[in-house]
Amino acid sequence: MNKYADIIVNISHEALDRTFQYRVPDELINEVETGSYVNIPFGKGDKIIGGYVLELSDTPNYDPSKIKSIISINADSSLVESKLIKLAYFLKKNYGSTMINALKTVLPIKKKVKEKQIKTVVLKADETLANELLMEYERKHQTARYRLLKELIEEKNIDYSLVVNKLNISASTLSYMESNGVVEITSERVYRNSTKGVISHEKKTLNDEQRKIADAIISDINNDIKDTYLIRGVTGSGKTEIYMEIIDSVINRGQSAIVLIPEIALTYQTVMRFQKRYGDRVSTLHSKLSSGEKYDQFIRAKNGEIDVMIGPRSALFTPFSNVGVIIIDEEHEGSYKSENMPKYHAREVAIELAKLHHASVVLGSATPSIEAYYRAKKGEYKLFELDKRAVSDSMAKTKIIDLREELKAGNKSMFSRELKEKIEDRLIKKQQVMLFLNRRGYAGFVSCRTCGHVVKCPHCDVSLSLHGRSKMVCHYCGYETKTYDKCPECGSPYIGGMKAGTEQVEENIKKLFPFANVLRMDADTTKSKDSYENILSSFANKEADILIGTQMIVKGHDFPNVTLVGILAADMSLHVNDYRASERTFQLITQAAGRAGRGGLLGEVIIQTYSPDNYSIISSANQDYNSFYAEEIEYRDLMGYPPVGHMLAILMESANERLVDITSRNLAGCVKNDIIDKANVREVRVIGPTEATIARINDIYRRVLYIKSSDYEKLREIKDLIESIELDKGLRISFDFDPMNGY
Ligand code: ADP
Ligand code: ZN
Ligand code: ZN
């Protein structure tokens, strides 16, 4: 019986570390639960205050005669915070984490931050004057002034940062126009990141296929059927329009919507579409917001000032009081899995949150995760499929090029002959090209051609990547050093970069096509706050002919003038030690291919590979999800991999190599000899411990233990039992269920 409750009285406090234990009186024992908001006597004077129940237990922490009792359940117990605390408890229970960590994950924490001024550019000239000036600017080819005025005539006022970044208007142009009385720049103290002034209710009429799906989901919602839906729809099939239709109906019911998009695809395109439709009733979160900015957005949501929150997985924790729908776009994305404890998956948490709010969950992707599709096939989710684009219904033409044949024909360059010709052709036609290579830097590693020595990071068990011609960087810890002119092992001068990265692609393209304008987008070129947007918007404005990039460029962007996509090394993500390698390869190629020919022009995709017979490459070239799925699920089933079987990865880390070695071996023994019996599981396999794929990062040694079972619940029990073992302080242990990435 849960006779004692740990209660927290102030959850808006940063520390969150103090709970007080209270007795649950008999008459409340069936009502008090995790997250309940209860009235308690507090302090010396027993003042009655409210508090949230964090955890329940049947054992007192100290002398039971000194423990005070809960007075009653507060009538307001359906508070937003109660739901979030319940969600935190779910995280703790399911993913292994302390309650404090789980709370910190879900609760918006107020930190002291400075108020921020938001500047807005406002049209001051009246309509007649504005239109006269517009003609004058056009006549005089004053393009920047023309561009700004044209937008202002439509919108009247535009966020200053949009003007500078999206419209590319310089400060001097602005001050010229301000001094001439055409515009005015106003400042006000407002909530950070609020998105004012870009409303123009733009609504498409759904086509029949879209209508059917939207209607089915909306009618469920209106009939109080709350479910999880998976929409598999090729890129451009109009999923986003369906989402917005569903959101409209939810808003009409007086409820709010949460829209998750992967951080990388958080481009002005997606956000602008939502802003155009919902104006300042939508707010955006992204990882580059400060915690103060994030907090402000949460407060707006809590105050009912917005209807839609769009953002990465943490947008799930928006304190809306009444959520109607949670949408997860690009559901298959790895960024929906948290890398830190608790290592939760946004899909599962969304489904749990939806239960608390009695809301629906809509998942969408062109290439659903094997997991989600498997569940949909089993009937756990309702499945809808869209195989045609909403506007131009022709999919891009794809071609696989065998790089071994290129080599035989004497072509050692990173571009096949056909790709080179096609790039040339597009440059002549003034159409745009995207080149995708999933490796940043200049070269993947540096090695000696004489003795084979590979240069490694002194702090990590990985090779250094070459950046530019003279710098080597560790992608795991950031260590940097100058390149060597001689091999440190044998002294040979033949030491150099192997496996080209995006930097080298850029260099070679510039050599081959000196007149082309080239942009590059990868983790190195997008370090500053608006850099994603700047690169993408300048490519969208056709300021460049070729965009080169890592996986950042393949997701969700709509560039109508791109008619050629080159995938330079399609098998790169294939030969890694990870059961999801084929899935990821299929997704990346399919998504990259989906970038071509989105504006009515026919698109072409060239897929270069050394493994032209691999099923994930063939089925992605054919844009054939179902045949890929059929082959992949057979393999997962055979091997007992997720989603058919389940896996718990236990990562142990320590600066002390001996400690992590011994403890991980002891733990494996303990699991085999003791814990498996206690949890009463039969079908279970313990694999390891072994060194993690990267055995050392930043001088921390890493060992991994895998436990496989077809029974997910049992794995959870095993995790609980392991958590109750006291471990050495110098050791960190973390749990990951059905890991998205290998260790
Ligand atoms: P997805 O989210 O599946 O990639 P989008 O919703 O982004 O697809 O739609 C792709 C393109 O087609 C967008 O430019 C969108 O404005 C347009 N579009 C989608 N549905 C319709 C429709 N019913 N009528 C006209 N245009 C549409
Ligand atoms: Zn050497
Ligand atoms: Zn390193």
Side-chain angles (χ1 to χ4, degrees), residues 457-462 464 474-479 696-698:
C457 174
H459 307 288
C460 308
D461 207 7
V462 292
L464 295 178
C474 171
H475 286 182
Y476 285 84
C477 73
Y479 171 85
R696 181 174 54 124
I697 297 179
N698 227 344

Side-chain angles (χ1 to χ4, degrees), residues 202-208 210 231 233-244 273 329-330 365-366 386 388-392 556 558 595 598:
E202 203 179 77
K203 204 166 164 172
K204 303 244 153 59
T205 310
L206 298 189
N207 63 34
D208 290 351
Q210 289 171 311
I231 306 174
V234 295
T235 37
S237 57
K239 297 184 292 296
T240 309
E241 295 295 326
I242 300 177
Y243 304 152
M244 293 197 280
R273 265 169 86 182
D329 191 30
E330 310 282 354
S365 171
L386 285 169
K388 278 206 307 218
R389 284 184 175 173
V391 186
S392 68
D558 205 354
R595 300 302 114 215
R598 297 198 63 164

Side-chain angles (χ1 to χ4, degrees), residues 12 32 59 81 187 289 323 350 353 374 380 472 488 616 698:
S12 64
V32 171
T59 44
E81 285 79 7
S187 287
L289 288 185
V323 176
L353 180 68
Y374 177 73
E380 273 178 57
M472 296 187 289
S616 56
N698 227 344

Side-chain angles (χ1 to χ4, degrees), residues 617-646:
I617 291 178
I618 293 174
S619 47
S620 58
N622 296 334
Q623 305 266 314
D624 184 353
Y625 182 83
N626 279 298
S627 77
F628 172 72
Y629 176 79
E631 190 125 2
E632 183 66 13
I633 199 74
E634 204 171 302
Y635 156 75
R636 303 277 179 98
D637 189 15
L638 191 71
M639 304 297 290
Y641 285 138
V644 186
H646 296 286

Side-chain angles (χ1 to χ4, degrees), residues 89-149:
Y89 189 65
F90 172 86
L91 292 179
K92 172 197 149 71
K93 218 175 60 188
N94 286 282
Y95 303 101
S97 136
T98 59
M99 190 63 188
I100 293 300
N101 254 339
L103 278 179
K104 282 186 175 162
T105 307
V106 306
L107 292 175
I109 305 292
K110 184 154 183 65
K111 290 210 175 101
K112 279 211 177 88
V113 274
K114 271 201 245 134
E115 291 280 352
K116 208 167 156 180
Q117 301 271 330
I118 289 253
K119 288 204 278 186
T120 311
V121 181
V122 184
L123 181 64
K124 229 179 135 193
D126 65 28
E127 211 178 309
T128 341
L129 179 61
N131 281 310
E132 272 169 25
L133 282 169
L134 190 70
M135 287 193 301
E136 183 186 324
Y137 293 159
E138 189 173 21
R139 208 169 48 239
K140 293 185 177 163
H141 300 289
Q142 292 164 333
T143 52
R145 288 178 207 168
Y146 175 82
R147 198 158 64 236
L148 175 61
L149 189 56

Side-chain angles (χ1 to χ4, degrees), residues 125-373:
D126 65 28
E127 211 178 309
T128 341
L129 179 61
N131 281 310
E132 272 169 25
L133 282 169
L134 190 70
M135 287 193 301
E136 183 186 324
Y137 293 159
E138 189 173 21
R139 208 169 48 239
K140 293 185 177 163
H141 300 289
Q142 292 164 333
T143 52
R145 288 178 207 168
Y146 175 82
R147 198 158 64 236
L148 175 61
L149 189 56
K150 191 153 177 275
E151 290 293 324
L152 277 174
I153 288 173
E154 268 176 39
E155 308 281 358
K156 300 296 180 254
N157 53 65
I158 305 178
D159 195 90
Y160 183 87
S161 67
L162 288 176
V163 169
V164 174
N165 296 319
K166 310 271 161 50
L167 295 173
N168 274 320
I169 308 294
S170 67
S172 62
T173 302
L174 270 173
S175 72
Y176 172 85
M177 290 172 76
E178 191 176 24
S179 64
N180 281 355
V182 186
V183 303
E184 187 182 24
I185 299 168
T186 62
S187 287
E188 58 177 313
R189 259 170 57 185
V190 275
Y191 288 117
R192 279 160 280 243
N193 188 43
S194 70
T195 51
K196 320 181 41 168
V198 268
I199 317 171
S200 66
H201 292 277
E202 203 179 77
K203 204 166 164 172
K204 303 244 153 59
T205 310
L206 298 189
N207 63 34
D208 290 351
E209 284 79 16
Q210 289 171 311
R211 191 75 259 164
K212 245 185 253 165
I213 299 175
D215 283 350
I217 297 175
I218 292 168
S219 103
D220 273 2
I221 292 175
N222 290 334
N223 288 316
D224 219 27
I225 301 168
K226 299 298 141 68
D227 219 326
T228 300
Y229 308 85
L230 173 63
I231 306 174
R232 181 186 69 75
V234 295
T235 37
S237 57
K239 297 184 292 296
T240 309
E241 295 295 326
I242 300 177
Y243 304 152
M244 293 197 280
E245 195 75 10
I246 297 168
I247 292 170
D248 284 353
S249 87
V250 161
I251 293 175
N252 280 338
R253 293 163 54 90
Q255 296 178 302
S256 337
I258 296 173
V259 180
L260 301 192
I261 53 180
E263 171 70 17
I264 284 161
L266 188 56
T267 66
Y268 72 102
Q269 285 185 332
T270 316
V271 174
M272 281 297 233
R273 265 169 86 182
F274 276 84
Q275 285 179 2
K276 281 199 169 146
R277 182 105 155 207
Y278 301 107
D280 57 8
R281 302 294 297 176
V282 63
S283 170
T284 319
L285 289 183
H286 56 85
S287 68
K288 283 177 180 153
L289 288 185
S290 70
S291 55
E293 289 171 324
K294 199 167 158 183
Y295 184 79
D296 283 352
Q297 298 318 304
F298 278 173
I299 292 305
R300 295 181 67 208
K302 202 175 162 188
N303 293 343
E305 290 168 32
I306 56 174
D307 301 315
V308 184
M309 180 65 93
I310 172 166
R313 57 171 194 264
S314 62
L316 280 176
F317 310 122
T318 307
F320 280 130
S321 59
N322 187 356
V323 176
V325 69
I326 304 166
I327 286 165
I328 307 185
D329 191 30
E330 310 282 354
E331 162 281 329
H332 62 278
E333 275 294 324
S335 64
Y336 288 131
K337 177 96 183 221
S338 168
E339 287 144 24
N340 311 313
M341 293 287 279
K343 291 182 183 173
Y344 67 90
H345 196 293
R347 190 197 318 118
E348 296 168 23
V349 177
I351 291 171
E352 181 65 20
L353 180 68
K355 269 190 216 152
L356 295 173
H357 281 273
H358 204 53
S360 312
V361 177
V362 179
L363 312 170
S365 171
T367 53
S369 62
I370 296 291
E371 178 111 30
Y373 205 68

